[in-house]
Amino acid sequence: MRRSMCICLTAILLAMFCPAAQASEMTATDALPNLRYLTPLENGYAGIGDGERLMLISYEGETVLSIPLDALLGDDINGGLSACCGDGEGGLYAVFSRDENTPDPLIHLFHFSNEGEILWSALFQQTTVWGWMHLSRDGLGGVILAHASWDNYKEIVIRRFSSDGEILWKKLLRAEGLILKPYVLRPGEGGGCMLYGTALSKSKGIYKAVELCIGPEGDLIHAVARDYSFRPDYSAFLKWEPLSDEILFVSRENYLDTRGTERINVPLTELEPCALPEIILSDAGLAVR
């Protein structure tokens, strides 16, 4: 009796974790041969296929969406897919940007339906922002966009859009005296978001991973800092694991000894909490989108 129960339990566990095994093997197979700017989502991988189409491929290898881009974007696609996220209803939010610093629109945000139709789009003509870009649905039909300032990464710009593509607010986020880099943006509660990044100063020996909860009105609800000075890797970063929904701290494994390039992944929650740097979240106004 006990043996049969163990066999049943094993079968259940294998069934539960089979999709995860498929997903973890996807990047090592030919299932995504021509997909560039690869972005993991809850239901698969998004990227640019054959340089011509925005594609969403499930973890089982099936094409969920395939949207032609040449007629939509023209030259605006030359910087590739900067960020992408699901809208919770089978559609996608996607940001395309140019590589060069130019007075032309640098950021092109689209909301695609689950049939590949454009529901709305927005252009940005602001040249003072650059670097990492991240998208997260707000849970109320809208989307939040966060990206770093290219001026030595001194601030992060955060915008929230309504379900109709109207900008609701725009904020600037800084960590006083530290370089602030955003790496993960995830949905929060009731229209807000969770922002994960690093706040550091190599010259001062300050290395912190930060977790910021931003409310639906653009206010800072709470903030937590975690110390990684025990592994002072200036290039360390955070990433989101879609299958476990964990935030992982990624560092060079043998950095202290050889400054090598082998990587180690550690759940963010395993880093020790530490003193929080001064976080400043201010209203940026809506005059310039």
Side-chain angles (χ1 to χ4, degrees):
M1 179 69 175
R2 178 176 298 178
R3 181 179 179 183
S4 62
M5 289 178 63
C6 290
I7 294 174
C8 291
L9 180 58
T10 301
I12 292 172
L13 290 173
L14 286 173
M16 289 174 62
F17 288 100
C18 185
Q22 290 175 335
S24 63
E25 294 169 359
M26 284 286 288
T27 55
T29 69
D30 295 329
L32 306 172
N34 299 311
L35 208 59
R36 298 182 299 126
Y37 308 106
L38 197 66
T39 301
L41 307 178
E42 287 91 344
N43 57 340
Y45 294 106
I48 302 296
D50 299 320
E52 298 176 350
R53 311 178 73 85
L54 172 62
M55 301 183 71
L56 172 59
I57 297 179
S58 73
Y59 287 132
E60 290 74 32
E62 298 178 355
T63 299
V64 179
L65 274 177
S66 181
I67 306 168
L69 296 176
D70 53 350
L72 299 178
L73 302 176
D75 291 339
D76 283 340
I77 195 176
N78 68 355
L81 178 67
S82 296
C84 194
C85 75
D87 66 359
E89 298 181 357
L92 291 175
Y93 291 105
V95 165
F96 300 88
S97 65
R98 294 181 182 272
D99 285 331
E100 68 272 13
N101 191 0
T102 166
D104 295 331
L106 294 175
I107 303 173
H108 205 162
L109 170 62
F110 286 90
H111 184 193
F112 297 101
S113 73
N114 59 358
E115 296 180 350
E117 299 175 345
I118 298 177
L119 299 178
W120 57 262
S121 67
L123 286 172
F124 302 90
Q125 297 179 326
Q126 187 169 314
T127 61
T128 57
V129 290
W130 203 257
W132 293 271
M133 295 187 191
H134 305 282
L135 287 172
S136 172
R137 64 178 179 271
D138 67 1
L140 298 177
V143 67
I144 297 174
L145 167 67
H147 51 119
S149 166
W150 74 311
D151 182 18
N152 202 23
Y153 304 103
K154 292 179 180 177
E155 62 189 18
I156 297 171
V157 182
I158 308 171
R159 296 176 176 89
R160 182 185 172 199
F161 295 84
S162 71
S163 58
D164 298 322
E166 294 297 320
I167 188 167
L168 299 176
W169 46 257
K170 175 184 172 186
K171 301 288 183 175
L172 295 180
L173 179 69
R174 293 183 292 121
E176 189 64 28
L178 301 178
I179 294 175
L180 191 60
K181 297 182 179 180
Y183 286 108
V184 178
L185 190 68
R186 298 292 297 141
E189 295 290 334
C193 65
M194 300 295 298
L195 178 64
Y196 301 86
T198 57
L200 52 90
S201 171
K202 189 175 183 180
S203 62
K204 298 178 182 179
I206 298 174
Y207 300 84
K208 300 175 186 290
V210 293
E211 171 187 316
L212 308 175
C213 177
I214 299 172
E217 302 302 321
D219 49 331
L220 187 62
I221 304 297
H222 72 257
V224 177
R226 298 181 184 276
D227 178 33
Y228 66 94
S229 60
F230 66 93
R231 188 183 298 277
D233 182 354
Y234 195 65
S235 65
F237 61 95
L238 307 178
K239 72 175 182 179
W240 171 62
E241 173 53 58
L243 301 176
S244 63
D245 200 29
E246 282 186 308
I247 307 298
L248 301 178
F249 169 74
V250 184
S251 175
R252 284 177 280 188
E253 184 173 14
N254 52 352
Y255 180 80
L256 292 178
D257 298 327
T258 66
R259 297 178 182 262
T261 57
E262 295 180 42
R263 297 287 181 179
I264 184 170
N265 297 331
V266 178
L268 182 61
T269 53
E270 292 188 9
L271 299 185
E272 290 294 328
C274 64
L276 185 71
E278 184 180 359
I279 302 293
I280 302 171
L281 185 63
S282 59
D283 191 353
L286 303 179
V288 179
R289 296 185 70 179

